[in-house]
């Protein structure tokens, strides 16, 4: 009987699985640019500045690089942006999706 596994056959140990999961759950910096664009468009530069302050960033140079970011970093950016814009996390995600599709 064959059991479904989301991992390739060569991936056998828990350590390998944890490493593979860490690799899979990574966001690219492009999404951070989209989040910034949505916040600026719908809420203005004050909301973006408040987002950066919440995350203890002096500016957005580091978080807008086109490199890999952990989901933790991206979720923190969305959460801080939602707080700064005074909307729910889910509503901000929807606004980002609309902005990205537009």
């Amino acid at each position: 009987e064959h059991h479904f596994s989301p991992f390739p056959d060569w991936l056998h140990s828990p350590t390998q699985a944890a490493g593979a999961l860490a690799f899979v759950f990574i966001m690219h910096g492009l999404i951070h640019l989209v989040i910034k664009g949505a916040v600026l468009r719908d809420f203005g530069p004050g909301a973006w500045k408040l987002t950066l302050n919440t995350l203890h960033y002096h500016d957005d140079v580091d978080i807008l690089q086109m490199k890999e970011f952990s989901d933790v970093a991206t979720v923190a950016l969305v959460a801080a942006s939602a707080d700064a814009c005074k909307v729910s996390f889910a509503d901000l995600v929807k606004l980002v999706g609309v902005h990205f599709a537009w």
Side-chain angles (χ1 to χ4, degrees), residues 16-62:
Q16 286 176 318
L21 285 174
F23 177 75
V24 170
F25 296 114
I26 294 174
M27 297 299 292
H28 197 271
L30 174 62
I31 192 62
H32 294 184
L33 290 170
V34 176
I35 294 166
K36 177 184 179 180
V39 170
L40 289 174
R41 184 194 69 199
D42 291 341
F43 302 98
W48 183 244
K49 182 68 174 167
L50 184 56
T51 297
L52 296 177
N53 289 342
T54 299
L55 296 172
H56 306 287
Y57 284 111
H58 177 67
D59 57 38
D60 57 15
V61 172
D62 290 335

